[in-house]
Amino acid sequence: AQSVSQHNHHVILSEAASLELGCNYSYGGTVNLFWYVQYPGQHLQLLLKYFSGDPLVKGIKGFEAEFIKSKFSFNLRKPSVQWSDTAEYFCAVGTGRRALTFGSGTRLQVQP
Amino acid sequence: NAGVTQTPKFQVLKTGQSMTLQCAQDMNHEYMSWYRQDPGMGLRLIHYSVGAGITDQGEVPNGYNVSRSTTEDFPLRLLSAAPSQTSVYFCASSSTRRGGTEAFFGQGTRLTVV
């Protein structure tokens, strides 16, 4: 069975700082990779996704992620965070055979 | 497009009571799933379905039942509520038809068992 690890549980940044959130997965076959964001009190929304092709994917609100197959990683990045990016971020893996598997989440707090 | 609709949004139950959380989607997705979200634990899969009439257990299925009689609906039943089932529940639907399994989520149900 697949699993997902998010190593940063709580990240605090100042506005304009750069962001990188780690995500590693374990699964030997072809995967679909996702980052979801959950703003306080809301449901999960898709930030970006990787199915195939260019391993550097761009999402909404200036976020991007890079799939490194050899490292089983799919790290999320943003060059300059804003206070409105304060949220919880979840990495997820899909293998096409069942529902997505999620990491434990990273709570990002951006200080003005 | 309504997407994924969950009801109710909030619910308080007494220990031992039963209830059904409703989930409906209008995107003709074949996959539907239920997750629970607890602090520091991310989303954990309870049950999922790959099509009408087909369901399977996820990571934390105990105390929950599901059925999938139609493509649109995927209700989650709590048989005898326990305080450990206090959580936020999310329903999701997805399709593999476009080559991937991107999930669309409902607004969630916040359940408190006292």
Side-chain angles (χ1 to χ4, degrees):
Chain A
Q2 63 266 34
S3 66
V4 180
S5 296
Q6 291 182 243
H7 311 297
N8 316 103
H9 297 294
H10 190 193
V11 173
I12 302 174
L13 295 174
S14 298
E15 275 193 313
S18 64
L19 170 72
E20 181 160 3
L21 301 182
C23 172
N24 288 90
Y25 67 93
S26 65
Y27 185 73
T30 301
V31 293
N32 302 145
L33 297 162
F34 306 87
W35 276 97
Y36 282 85
V37 61
Q38 185 179 34
Y39 298 104
Q42 297 189 23
H43 66 296
L44 277 77
Q45 303 170 45
L46 183 69
L47 264 183
L48 47 77
K49 60 188 177 186
Y50 172 81
F51 289 169
S52 63
D54 188 345
L56 183 62
V57 293
K58 296 190 183 299
I60 60 172
K61 304 186 180 184
F63 287 90
E64 65 178 31
E66 184 175 14
F67 170 48
I68 303 179
K69 189 174 181 179
S70 61
K71 296 185 177 180
F72 297 89
S73 70
F74 190 56
N75 292 354
L76 181 70
R77 299 194 292 248
K78 186 171 184 179
S80 176
V81 295
Q82 300 173 325
W83 177 80
S84 58
D85 293 324
T86 294
E88 191 156 15
Y89 293 81
F90 294 92
C91 181
V93 169
T95 63
R97 296 177 189 170
R98 52 177 283 167
L100 299 184
T101 299
F102 284 83
S104 57
T106 297
R107 187 173 299 277
L108 172 65
Q109 184 178 346
V110 180
Q111 297 176 332
Chain B
N1 251 353
V4 180
T5 303
Q6 283 184 243
T7 55
K9 291 187 178 178
F10 301 95
Q11 183 71 50
V12 178
L13 289 179
K14 294 182 179 178
T15 298
Q17 286 185 315
S18 63
M19 80 159 294
T20 299
L21 279 61
Q22 302 291 342
C23 177
Q25 55 97 2
D26 61 359
M27 297 173 283
N28 198 29
H29 285 171
E30 66 271 32
Y31 279 49
M32 295 187 76
S33 50
W34 277 102
Y35 295 86
R36 59 176 290 174
Q37 183 180 24
D38 302 290
M41 305 190 75
L43 279 81
R44 292 182 292 169
L45 182 64
I46 305 171
H47 287 285
Y48 66 100
S49 168
V50 300
I54 307 170
T55 63
D56 206 347
Q57 296 182 350
E59 187 182 350
V60 289
N62 292 341
Y64 307 95
N65 271 358
V66 291
S67 59
R68 184 98 181 266
S69 56
T70 66
T71 300
E72 294 79 18
D73 300 299
F74 191 45
L76 178 72
R77 297 183 188 83
L78 279 71
L79 308 173
S80 176
S84 61
Q85 293 178 305
T86 293
S87 186
V88 181
Y89 292 83
F90 287 100
C91 178
S93 75
S94 59
S95 173
T96 61
R97 296 192 191 99
R98 292 186 297 163
T101 54
E102 173 186 348
F104 295 82
F105 285 85
Q107 296 286 336
T109 297
R110 185 173 295 274
L111 175 68
T112 302
V113 182
V114 299

